[in-house]
Amino acid sequence: MRRRLPRLAWALAALIALSAARPPQRRDFDGAALTVLPVLHDGRVKPLDTVARASMLTLLGKQRVQAADGRTLEPGPWLLETMLRPKEADRIKIFRVDDPDVLGLFGRSTEDGRYYSFDDMAGAIRSIRAQAAAAADIDASRRGRFQSAVLRLEESLTLYQGLKNTLQAEDTDSLSDELAAVVRRGRPAEFVERCRFLARAAVFRPLAPLSGEEPRDFDSVGAALLSVVEGAAPHPALARLAVVSDAYRRADKAVFDAAAADYAAWVEERLPRASARARREALFNRAEPFYLGMLLYGLALLLSFMSWLVWPEELRRGAYGLLAAALGLHTAGLAVRMWLEG
């Protein structure tokens, strides 16, 4: 038994890695076809899944959130909810707020917890932004705890509201109807500022380049709509995304899945290499090698502590085995991440 401990340690490490790398369970409206698609974000083409995970980490500090109806949402489904059903997303406790003085701005205290929704803070948005503006005028080296915390919250609110206005304006009832109105030139004057706002607010650019354009020539929905207002032909992706959006809002899963698959096929036809790279990065995200490495480091430390009490030599070898596995996983993760980011 004692001789088998190092082998068991390696087997445990492999089991954890395989369980994390398994495909995610299918859920209604999980948007799997959309979250692996390439978009332009922060100057790099990456899958929408990466944008979702980075945004959730910034806002919440973790990779799972509970919806108002009790469902546990992973980053991809949460981002779809935020962009396509913002009123429902506003009820999700996606913001982490720890500072007691910042909590006081919207009538809460540390006793109420540290996770809040946009609706929880809606009445205090102006106050939060005013305090953040005042804090921004203070040199970073002289800011106190409250100033730093309120600036972080204001940045989180800006990110969240940008996500809500990336694929469509958050008050849009039907993107298809809105697009049709723009094409008919029924209300171009009132749309100009609205489209400019959408172009400025967009956190990422989702519209894939057309034939002959550079792979990085992605466009925002706001900029594409503004081009239509100015007389250009609509970007062909707009109509496809409108069908996806409208189906999601109607909770029509069959139409949503078909429209998402249609749009994914359209993108892959134009950007085969970027699409393949985005799928690989999404797979890397699901594998979570750095998180798994931390788990293995923790298990190695636990075995090391246990070796002080029983089976010192055997448990120490097991700890070394787990440590080697964690180091190998961590190194491989770094290498793959560097390759993915070029």
Side-chain angles (χ1 to χ4, degrees):
M1 174 64 181
R2 296 181 181 181
R3 293 179 180 178
R4 294 178 182 174
L5 280 174
R7 295 179 182 177
L8 288 174
W10 280 99
L12 179 61
L15 181 62
I16 292 174
L18 288 174
S19 65
R22 70 186 186 282
Q25 292 183 348
R26 176 74 180 175
R27 294 187 177 89
D28 287 348
F29 298 98
D30 66 355
L34 297 177
T35 55
V36 299
L37 291 180
V39 298
L40 184 65
H41 176 246
D42 286 345
R44 183 172 77 86
V45 177
K46 62 186 72 170
L48 187 59
D49 179 75
T50 297
V51 179
R53 289 174 184 271
S55 300
M56 185 177 279
L57 278 175
T58 298
L59 299 173
L60 191 66
K62 52 185 180 180
Q63 296 277 276
R64 305 287 185 277
V65 68
Q66 192 152 13
D69 60 7
R71 291 175 298 147
T72 298
L73 297 179
E74 296 184 357
W78 163 77
L79 183 57
L80 288 180
E81 190 82 348
T82 301
M83 295 189 299
L84 302 180
R85 292 204 307 170
K87 291 182 180 178
E88 286 73 15
D90 285 346
R91 300 164 55 204
I92 298 174
K93 296 185 181 299
I94 191 64
F95 297 93
R96 174 170 174 164
V97 186
D98 296 307
D99 189 273
D101 294 328
V102 174
L103 289 170
L105 292 176
F106 53 97
R108 301 300 178 97
S109 69
T110 52
E111 296 178 357
D112 298 317
R114 52 186 178 181
Y115 299 109
Y116 298 91
S117 68
F118 182 82
D119 281 350
D120 290 333
M121 296 182 284
I125 297 296
R126 288 187 179 180
S127 177
I128 293 170
R129 293 200 183 281
Q131 291 290 342
D137 291 335
I138 302 173
D139 186 85
S141 63
R142 300 179 59 188
R143 288 175 195 152
R145 185 204 69 232
F146 169 75
Q147 284 84 12
S148 298
V150 78
L151 274 173
R152 284 195 300 271
L153 179 57
E154 196 273 338
E155 289 168 359
S156 293
L157 287 168
T158 298
L159 169 61
Y160 178 74
Q161 291 183 300
L163 291 171
K164 290 200 296 181
N165 291 279
T166 292
L167 289 189
Q168 59 192 35
E170 61 179 295
D171 60 352
T172 298
D173 293 324
S174 169
L175 186 56
S176 295
D177 291 345
E178 189 162 282
L179 178 59
V182 177
V183 172
R184 290 196 305 267
R185 307 290 191 273
R187 45 177 183 171
E190 66 186 77
F191 250 70
V192 171
E193 189 53 41
R194 181 182 177 89
C195 294
R196 286 175 178 167
F197 165 74
L198 288 177
R200 290 194 306 269
V203 173
F204 60 90
R205 297 183 183 182
L207 303 184
L210 302 177
S211 179
E213 295 181 354
E214 292 296 323
R216 288 181 178 271
D217 289 339
F218 283 74
D219 211 352
S220 68
V221 170
L225 287 174
L226 188 59
S227 296
V228 176
V229 171
E230 294 171 347
H235 192 294
L238 283 175
R240 290 176 167 84
L241 282 178
V243 177
V244 171
S245 171
D246 293 350
Y248 190 93
R249 290 197 168 202
R250 293 195 311 269
D252 190 334
K253 186 176 184 300
V255 174
F256 173 82
D257 286 343
D262 174 67
Y263 180 62
W266 182 86
V267 173
E268 185 158 8
E269 181 182 350
R270 282 151 183 79
L271 296 173
R273 293 181 61 185
S275 296
R277 197 177 188 89
R279 284 196 299 273
R280 290 194 292 268
E281 184 169 340
L283 179 62
F284 173 84
N285 292 340
R286 288 201 300 270
E288 298 182 311
F290 303 120
Y291 173 71
L292 291 175
M294 287 192 295
L295 285 181
L296 294 178
Y297 285 131
L299 287 173
L301 184 62
L302 180 61
L303 284 186
S304 179
F305 287 157
M306 289 176 62
S307 71
W308 298 347
L309 303 176
V310 293
W311 302 342
E313 188 61 32
E314 292 80 2
L315 288 178
R316 201 158 33 240
R317 285 203 300 268
Y320 286 146
L322 284 175
L323 187 62
L327 185 60
L329 189 61
H330 201 159
T331 302
L334 286 172
V336 173
R337 171 56 68 186
M338 292 169 64
W339 171 66
L340 288 171
E341 295 193 7

